[in-house]
Each structure stands twice: as structure tokens, then as C-alpha cells.
């Protein structure tokens, strides 16, 4: 490797960044020889809370089912670092993986970014920034994303003031649904998980359509009766007393996991066919 990760403990590493604070990740490794996909996962938490540890079983599942490296990213929260710091952290981890692909045995054509809720907004933002930088990504998966920060400004003005001290919360990489479709044509193929009972559902629908209008491959599934956060809160890492937990929601969670695994597998396979991402 041109630069090395720093081992902290257990499966926690720090990814170096030139002149910047390292990014903490929880790394899950694939099995066997040959090259493997790499996936960056971002947890939810309203941009100010949550932790990667709450998605460890999900990250492990992705690693096992897709035989992939999964970097479960513990990005900096917005009270500490305003936008676009977390998205830039994700971009720098992608660059690190690409620069060290041979040492990792990573297939550069099979790198994906994704997340849930606030983590999905960070993933979508990083996908836009990576496309602008000419860095190809095989897929982005967006679980009930916020794609229009005007909504956050309306409902959580104090938070938005912290996130965007310059007041520019409608910029394209922050609110990608507001972008011109033509400006998104190089953005990574996208997989959407949407909830029927979710104030963010229409934002996800609108951004999926915007990407389709731009000619981007989009896979979308809406889960009837699913509640916002259902993929995270119904896994064993999450506190058992969360009111959104139920047998019905857990069944929907597992269905969404399988949908994501199938969709990512399909998009990774399409990279083999067309050579995208070289």
C-alpha cells in the first residue's frame, strides 16, 4: 500500500487522509482468493448521532453474502464538522481503496457507497462529489434518504444552521434532488429502499426519478407498512426497546436486506460486462 491503515482494536482501523484527520472504519473482510468488491456503509442518526457499531451485523451480512470488503464508516457528526465534511471523508476512503486496490485485492470496478437516512444523504452526496471528480463508482444504495435539505431547514432549522454555516443548504451535492438531471448523468447506478410511512418517501421517489431522467440505472423498491429506520432498528445491534421494532418490521428488514444484496450483486456483475469503473 502507498499508505497504511492504522489498526486500533478489534476490527477498527483509521484510514489516512493527507493533511486531514483519519477516518474511523469498522472493517469486515471477504474470504478466498481473487479480487473482491468493496462497500462503504454509513449509519443513520440525523447527522448528529448514531454510530457505526449499530450497523455491524448488517455490515457483516453484506461482507458474507457479497464476499466483499465492507468499510462501516464512523463519519464525523455535524456538531463537530459541518457539511460536506462527512461526504468528503467517504470520498477519501474511496480514493484510498482505489489507490491500494492491489494490496486489498479489491476490484476497482466494484466499489459501492451506501447508507440509511442521514447516512444515505451522505452516500448520495459522496456519489455526486465522486462523479464530479471523475472517480467511477459501481453503485450507491440509498435507504430512505433525505435528498432535499430544504426539508431539514424547515423542520430542524437549528441543525441546518450547524450543518451549513454558509447557508447554502440547496447546493447540488447537499440536495441532489434539486440538481439538473443532465448534471447527474455520471452519478453511480442507484438502489433505493423506501418506506411507505415515511416523511422522506417522496424525496426518495423524486431523486430516483431525477436519476432515471439523467439516464442513470436505478433500482427501487418501496416497502409497504415499513417505518423509517426499519432496516437498522430491527437488527440485533440496535437497542431492544426501540418502538419501531416488531416481528412485522423485522420481516420487512430481512426482505430489504435480501433486495439490497441481490441488487448490488446485479450491479457488480454489470461492471464485469461493460468494464465501467476501470
Amino acid at each position: 500500500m502507498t499508505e497504511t491503515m492504522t489498526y486500533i482494536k478489534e476490527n477498527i482501523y483509521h484510514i489516512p487522509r493527507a493533511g486531514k484527520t483519519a477516518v474511523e472504519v469498522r472493517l469486515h473482510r471477504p474470504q478466498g482468493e481473487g479480487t473482491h468488491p468493496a462497500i462503504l456503509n454509513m449509519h443513520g442518526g440525523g447527522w448528529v448521532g448514531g454510530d457505526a457499531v449499530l450497523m455491524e451485523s448488517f455490515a457483516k451480512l453484506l461482507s458474507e453474502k457479497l464476499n466483499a470488503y465492507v468499510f462501516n464508516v464512523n463519519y464525523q457528526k455535524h456538531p463537530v464538522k459541518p457539511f460536506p465534511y462527512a461526504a468528503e471523508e467517504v470520498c477519501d476512503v474511496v480514493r484510498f481503496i482505489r489507490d491500494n486496490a492491489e494490496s486489498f485485492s479489491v476490484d476497482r470496478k466494484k466499489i459501492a457507497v451506501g447508507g440509511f437516512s442521514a447516512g444515505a444523504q451522505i452516500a448520495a452526496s459522496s456519489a455526486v462529489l465522486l462523479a464530479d471528480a471523475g472517480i467511477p463508482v459501481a453503485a450507491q444504495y440509498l435507504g430512505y434518504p433525505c435528498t432535499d435539505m430544504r426539508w431539514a431547514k424547515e423542520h430542524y432549522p437549528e441543525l441546518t444552521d450547524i450543518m451549513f454555516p454558509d447557508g447554502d443548504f440547496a447546493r447540488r451535492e447537499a440536495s441532489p434532488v434539486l440538481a439538473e438531471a443532465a448534471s447527474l448523468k455520471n452519478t453511480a447506478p442507484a438502489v433505493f429502499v423506501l418506506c411507505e410511512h415515511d416523511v422522506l418517501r417522496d424525496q426518495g421517489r423524486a431523486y430516483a426519478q431525477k436519476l432515471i431522467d439523467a439516464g442513470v440505472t436505478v433500482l427501487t423498491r418501496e416497502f409497504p407498512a415499513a417505518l423509517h429506520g426499519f432496516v437498522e432498528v430491527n437488527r440485533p445491534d440496535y437497542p431492544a426497546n426501540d418502538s419501531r421494532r416488531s416481528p412485522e418490521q423485522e420481516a420487512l428488514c430481512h426482505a430489504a436486506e435480501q433486495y439490497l444484496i441481490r441488487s448490488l450483486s446485479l450491479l457488480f456483475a454489470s461492471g464485469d460486462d461493460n468494464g465501467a469503473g476501470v
Side-chain angles (χ1 to χ4, degrees):
M1 297 183 181
T2 56
E3 296 181 273
T4 58
M5 300 187 299
T6 301
Y7 173 74
I8 305 301
K9 62 180 179 178
E10 299 173 347
N11 66 330
I12 301 174
Y13 294 83
H14 283 172
I15 302 290
R17 306 168 74 204
K20 301 177 183 177
T21 302
V23 183
E24 181 180 293
V25 301
R26 291 175 171 265
L27 178 59
H28 298 265
R29 299 177 183 271
Q31 300 295 318
E33 302 296 326
T35 58
H36 303 275
I39 301 168
L40 283 69
N41 181 71
M42 278 66 74
H43 65 84
W47 299 282
V48 298
D51 191 281
V53 72
L54 297 176
M55 295 208 75
E56 276 290 82
S57 64
F58 175 78
K60 186 173 185 291
L61 178 74
L62 286 187
S63 180
E64 291 175 349
K65 295 299 184 181
L66 292 166
N67 201 21
Y69 287 94
V70 177
F71 296 79
N72 195 13
V73 182
N74 221 4
Y75 56 85
Q76 290 281 356
K77 310 305 185 291
H78 283 303
V80 179
K81 297 290 185 181
F83 186 88
Y85 193 90
E88 291 173 342
E89 286 184 302
V90 174
C91 292
D92 285 345
V93 174
V94 170
R95 290 185 178 94
F96 178 83
I97 295 168
R98 287 178 58 85
D99 289 346
N100 297 279
E102 287 79 10
S103 298
F104 274 118
S105 297
V106 163
D107 186 339
R108 288 190 182 90
K109 295 180 292 185
K110 299 180 181 180
I111 298 175
V113 298
F116 297 87
S117 194
Q121 188 265 349
I122 293 168
S125 297
S126 67
V128 169
L129 293 171
L130 288 164
D132 288 349
I135 300 173
V137 179
Q140 56 179 318
Y141 60 91
L142 308 176
Y144 24 92
C146 178
T147 62
D148 186 347
M149 294 303 294
R150 294 177 302 180
W151 174 86
K153 176 64 175 177
E154 178 182 353
H155 292 85
Y156 305 102
E158 296 85 0
L159 170 62
T160 314
D161 291 344
I162 293 171
M163 292 174 64
F164 303 95
D166 61 2
D168 189 9
F169 52 85
R171 71 183 78 171
R172 185 168 67 95
E173 64 271 28
S175 301
V177 75
L178 303 181
E180 294 292 331
S183 71
L184 298 170
K185 65 180 181 179
N186 295 320
T187 307
V191 183
F192 285 82
V193 171
L194 304 179
C195 307
E196 180 180 2
H197 303 294
D198 185 5
V199 295
L200 299 180
R201 181 194 62 183
D202 291 346
Q203 293 186 38
R205 285 178 173 178
Y207 190 44
Q209 186 59 53
K210 182 65 67 75
L211 291 173
I212 291 169
D213 293 344
V216 175
T217 297
V218 172
L219 304 173
T220 302
R221 183 169 173 185
E222 190 169 312
F223 290 82
L227 302 175
H228 185 89
F230 76 107
V231 173
E232 298 125 292
V233 303
N234 288 284
R235 295 202 57 79
D237 322 86
Y238 222 81
N241 62 352
D242 192 286
S243 62
R244 291 167 291 177
R245 294 186 74 138
S246 72
E248 178 189 35
Q249 292 295 308
E250 183 179 2
L252 291 168
C253 165
H254 294 321
E257 292 164 355
Q258 295 308 309
Y259 162 71
L260 282 170
I261 289 165
R262 291 194 303 270
S263 299
L264 289 172
S265 180
L266 177 65
L267 292 175
F268 287 150
S270 69
D272 288 333
D273 295 336
N274 61 29
V278 175

